[in-house]
């Protein structure tokens, strides 16, 4: 099965490194691509200048395929009433830290893919481009495909998988409920419709004729072997790379991954969209799902000063600690070593 995906994305291994905005840049992508997988660069939070610099670095330091990842959300209109309610909810924490809630500055934007983005990256003709929260419009997708780029996109339900196949995706990332970071859901906002990976894979497989990349709770060669027996064409793995030296994972995030003290949960309080991370003080006290969180990505703005203050005190109480449900298997090893170990999953037999 893996040969079909490897042929499509032109890699040695059917392993896609999940793009993880905020905790990685081109260094991790290069290491994974050079080791035979598909390295990924998360682009939605990068300025134009930073994106160009990262693309130049990728082009110089690897001749292997890589992917760029973008968001396809519709930016919300600012709702001042909702923002006022959210700030009021957060005000006790501002008082605790002696911070001025009126002095909130915007953090990094989460930009959707646009024609201006296409103008910026066109000369690089990226080998693979992936999308979260759906796909760009048909004209933009046609433009990308004219470069020879392969299109990947995340599906969290059967309906999303069928929609993506019908609208031009070349392969589907089946994002199980166990996956860390933001849910790729785009046809529905109902969390109760989200399925564990094995159930999602079983439901999608009979209906889809393009390659399926399984994602969520995959951290070992044994898990890969199991998932491949269930009909996946390859795997996408993110959390397992968080402790690699090539990742930019913060000190407080690394400490939480090492401590292994708390479970993961889906929460919307850090961004406004459901995402899986390690439970901390803010999640326990406000969430995990809070109806007052402003629409994605506006919830993050007022969280920023609290996070910054706490992290200076070496506290992760107000940080989004994105991680999949199997994060306790994370290890401090180079990305190339991790890829080599994971590769055994394509040749070994699954043992329960």
């Amino acid at each position: 099965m893996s040969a079909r995906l490897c042929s499509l994305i032109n890699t040695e291994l059917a392993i896609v490194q999940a793009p993880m905005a905020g905790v990685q840049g081109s260094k991790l992508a290069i290491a994974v691509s050079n080791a035979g997988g598909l390295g990924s660069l998360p682009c939605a939070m990068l300025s134009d200048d930073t994106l160009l610099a990262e693309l130049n670095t990728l082009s110089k330091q690897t001749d292997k395929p890589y992917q760029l990842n973008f968001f396809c959300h519709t930016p919300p209109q600012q709702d001042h009433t909702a923002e006022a309610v959210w700030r009021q909810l957060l005000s006790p924490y501002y008082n605790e830290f002696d911070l001025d809630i009126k002095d909130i500055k915007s953090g990094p934007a989460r930009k959707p893919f646009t024609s201006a983005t296409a103008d910026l990256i066109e000369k690089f003709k990226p080998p693979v481009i992936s999308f979260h929260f759906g796909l760009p419009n048909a004209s933009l997708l046609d433009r990308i495909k004219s470069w020879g780029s392969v299109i990947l996109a995340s599906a969290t339900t059967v309906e999303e998988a069928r929609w993506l196949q019908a609208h031009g995706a070349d392969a589907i990332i089946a994002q199980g409920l166990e996956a860390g970071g933001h849910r790729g859901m785009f046809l529905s906002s109902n969390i109760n419709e989200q399925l564990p990976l094995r159930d999602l894979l079983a439901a999608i497989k009979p209906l889809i004729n393009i390659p399926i990349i399984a994602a969520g709770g995959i951290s070992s060669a044994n898990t890969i072997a199991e998932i491949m027996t269930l009909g996946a064409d390859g795997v996408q793995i993110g959390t397992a790379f968080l402790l690699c030296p090539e990742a930019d994972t913060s000190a407080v995030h690394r400490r939480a991954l090492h401590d292994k003290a708390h479970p993961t949960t889906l929460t919307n309080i850090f961004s406004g969209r459901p995402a899986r991370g390690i439970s901390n003080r803010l999640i326990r006290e406000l969430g995990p799902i809070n109806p007052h969180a402003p629409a994605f990505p506006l919830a993050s703005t007022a969280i920023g000063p609290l996070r910054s203050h706490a992290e200076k005190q070496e506290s992760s109480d107000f940080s989004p600690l994105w991680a999949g449900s199997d994060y306790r298997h994370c290890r401090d090893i180079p990305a190339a070593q991790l890829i080599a170990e994971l590769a055994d999953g394509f040749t070994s037999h699954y043992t329960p």
Side-chain angles (χ1 to χ4, degrees):
M1 295 292 294
S2 64
R4 185 163 74 142
L5 180 63
C6 290
S7 177
L8 177 67
I9 61 178
N10 197 28
T11 58
E12 299 169 38
L13 299 168
I15 297 174
V16 177
Q17 170 246 313
M20 299 179 289
V23 296
Q24 64 134 134
S26 59
K27 188 175 182 180
L28 179 60
I30 291 163
V32 171
S33 288
N34 285 339
L38 183 70
S40 307
L41 180 70
C43 302
M45 293 174 64
L46 302 182
S47 68
D48 289 352
D49 288 345
T50 302
L51 176 54
L52 285 175
E54 290 282 60
L55 280 167
N56 282 316
T57 300
L58 277 165
S59 301
K60 291 174 182 176
Q61 296 190 21
T62 186
D63 59 358
K64 302 293 183 64
Y66 60 85
Q67 72 154 318
L68 305 183
N69 176 258
F70 297 95
F71 291 170
C72 287
H73 64 289
T74 300
Q77 294 294 319
Q78 185 77 42
D79 184 332
H80 297 290
T81 301
E83 182 65 25
V85 171
W86 185 232
R87 292 191 181 198
Q88 182 63 33
L89 198 62
L90 296 175
S91 62
Y93 303 113
Y94 275 82
N95 294 334
E96 178 183 336
F97 295 153
D98 197 25
L99 298 174
D100 189 351
I101 201 166
K102 297 177 182 177
D103 188 28
I104 295 176
K105 298 177 176 62
S106 297
R110 274 82 166 174
K111 301 180 296 185
F113 189 86
T114 64
S115 58
T117 313
D119 292 342
L120 194 70
I121 67 174
E122 183 167 11
K123 68 178 181 179
F124 295 93
K125 294 181 169 52
V128 181
I129 296 181
S130 66
F131 294 102
H132 220 47
F133 314 135
L135 289 170
N137 64 51
S139 62
L140 271 178
L141 208 61
D142 289 343
R143 182 178 174 187
I144 294 168
K145 290 196 170 191
S146 74
W147 307 337
S149 300
V150 173
I151 305 297
L152 312 182
S154 297
T156 68
T157 64
V158 171
E159 292 75 21
E160 288 176 352
R162 297 177 71 173
W163 188 95
L164 291 171
Q165 177 173 258
H167 287 80
D170 296 310
I172 287 169
I173 300 162
Q175 189 191 34
L177 189 58
E178 304 91 337
H182 283 92
R183 307 298 302 153
M185 52 203 300
F186 62 94
L187 291 183
S188 170
S189 59
N190 186 354
I191 295 178
N192 294 325
E193 295 176 358
Q194 302 293 284
L195 296 173
L197 175 59
R198 288 153 185 79
D199 294 341
L200 180 61
L201 192 58
I204 288 176
K205 184 64 181 175
L207 305 172
I208 300 299
N209 55 34
I210 58 177
I212 300 173
I213 303 165
I218 303 171
S219 60
S220 68
N222 193 49
T223 310
I224 290 176
E226 177 202 359
I227 293 300
M228 296 302 289
T229 65
L230 298 179
D233 295 274
V235 296
Q236 176 173 280
I237 298 172
T239 303
F241 290 98
L242 285 174
L243 290 179
C244 292
E246 298 91 346
D248 299 323
T249 313
S250 70
V252 296
H253 198 163
R254 287 178 183 271
R255 192 175 303 117
L257 292 165
H258 277 298
D259 289 347
K260 302 175 172 52
H262 300 287
T264 64
T265 187
L266 288 182
T267 181
N268 69 339
I269 63 174
F270 291 107
S271 72
R273 264 185 180 267
R276 181 171 295 281
I278 300 171
S279 182
N280 59 8
R281 177 186 172 186
L282 196 62
I283 291 175
R284 290 190 294 272
E285 294 180 1
L286 288 190
I289 301 297
N290 192 296
H292 299 299
F296 178 86
L298 301 179
S300 62
T301 304
I303 299 288
L306 299 172
R307 174 184 180 180
S308 179
H309 178 88
E311 288 188 355
K312 288 176 182 176
Q313 313 304 315
E314 299 185 351
S315 168
S316 62
D317 283 345
F318 296 84
S319 302
L321 306 171
W322 303 142
S325 61
D326 207 25
Y327 81 91
R328 292 178 175 85
H329 288 91
C330 284
R331 292 178 296 144
D332 298 80
I333 59 174
Q337 180 181 339
L338 177 58
I339 288 288
E341 293 180 4
L342 294 171
D344 288 341
F346 297 101
T347 56
S348 61
H349 295 289
Y350 169 58
T351 54

